[in-house]
Amino acid sequence: METRPVLYIGNKNYSSWSLRAWLGLRVAGIDFEEKLIPLYTEEWHAKAEIFSPSKKVPSLFDGRKTIWEALSILEYFADSRPDAMLWPLDLDVRAIARSVSLEMHGGFTALRSNMPMNLRKSLPGRGRGEGVEKDIARIGEIFKTCRTQYGQGGDFLFGHFSIADAMFAPVVTRFKTYGVSLDPVGNAYMEAILGLPEMVEWYRDALAEEWVIAGGEISDA
């Protein structure tokens, strides 16, 4: 019997990288067992080095090996399960999808620092620190360019849901939390992401969590 892969994730309210891997696999229809380890708790400190060499989430164990980092996990299934269509089929379009995904992976540090992911909060107008407006403008440009040039045939950046959408999904939650509005194309894309049944499920679970991480909280005042 084939071993069911195990995906280790952190708190759904805060863990943006967990969301990326989880959402990408769920929307692609890949079966896995979910194990949530509350971040920075005694359980976390006891188990982190066991389930991930980086001591970070997400991490996936497929019965033979451990894969860590959200993008690596998704790339692994894109290679091993081409039927999941985690990347666009066209080679040139796939290169663009990879480019924006990697730009997200390594960039937008101002936005990520000033607008931590927190699904339980509604903080319109907050988190507008130095460099954030520039990051917002670039993300809006990515959304508009991908949707208008490559998004035919679906509601997502490259039409069909892909790794690129999984990478930007936590940004969409940040824009919801902090009241960021884009142009009509960007706003419609964000509605499509938030309307995914899998995103609705993730939000439901996040709102039910009771854990609080001080570093992920910005005061309402």
Side-chain angles (χ1 to χ4, degrees):
M1 181 181 295
E2 184 176 351
T3 302
R4 190 180 183 209
V6 178
L7 181 69
Y8 293 90
I9 62 172
N11 311 44
K12 291 187 175 182
N13 186 56
Y14 301 110
S15 185
S16 59
W17 291 103
S18 295
L19 171 57
R20 289 179 170 100
W22 185 95
L23 183 67
L25 298 185
R26 283 294 304 276
V27 175
I30 293 168
D31 183 41
F32 62 90
E33 179 183 355
E34 170 190 322
K35 286 195 176 180
L36 191 154
I37 312 294
L39 297 169
Y40 315 129
T41 60
E42 288 185 9
E43 182 183 8
W44 171 269
H45 291 298
K47 294 181 178 179
E49 65 182 353
I50 299 172
F51 65 73
S52 173
S54 68
K55 301 181 183 178
K56 295 179 180 179
V57 285
S59 177
L60 182 131
F61 181 65
D62 72 351
R64 296 180 296 111
K65 61 186 173 297
T66 296
I67 306 166
W68 61 101
E69 287 285 341
L71 190 54
S72 180
I73 292 167
L74 294 172
E75 283 276 20
Y76 171 70
F77 283 102
D79 290 339
S80 61
R81 289 280 305 275
D83 58 302
M85 295 179 62
L86 280 164
W87 286 123
L89 294 177
D90 183 274
L91 183 63
D92 293 335
V93 178
R94 194 183 316 156
I96 302 301
R98 279 200 166 101
S99 294
V100 299
S101 296
L102 287 166
E103 185 176 355
M104 177 66 255
H105 188 278
F108 308 116
T109 53
L111 184 142
R112 287 151 67 172
S113 297
N114 288 278
M115 294 182 169
M117 185 170 119
N118 191 323
L119 276 57
R120 291 195 295 254
K121 291 284 189 177
S122 178
L123 301 167
R126 302 299 304 279
R128 303 291 179 119
E130 183 179 356
V132 172
E133 295 298 338
K134 181 179 179 181
D135 283 354
I136 291 172
R138 173 57 186 151
I139 291 166
E141 180 184 0
I142 289 171
F143 288 176
K144 185 171 184 178
T145 299
C146 292
R147 285 293 302 135
T148 56
Q149 295 188 19
Y150 310 106
Q152 298 79 12
D155 296 326
F156 301 103
L157 294 177
F158 297 89
H160 185 273
F161 185 93
S162 73
I163 289 174
D165 300 294
M167 292 298 293
F168 279 97
V171 173
V172 172
T173 74
R174 286 174 161 97
F175 285 0
K176 180 178 187 294
T177 296
Y178 297 95
V180 177
S181 183
L182 301 175
D183 61 28
V185 173
N187 289 339
Y189 169 67
M190 291 195 290
E191 289 178 7
I193 289 290
L194 293 170
L196 282 165
E198 294 82 3
M199 279 293 287
V200 172
E201 177 185 345
W202 181 277
Y203 260 89
R204 182 199 67 210
D205 293 347
L207 297 178
E209 291 178 351
E210 298 181 353
W211 305 293
V212 175
I213 299 175
E217 297 291 328
I218 291 182
S219 171
D220 302 55

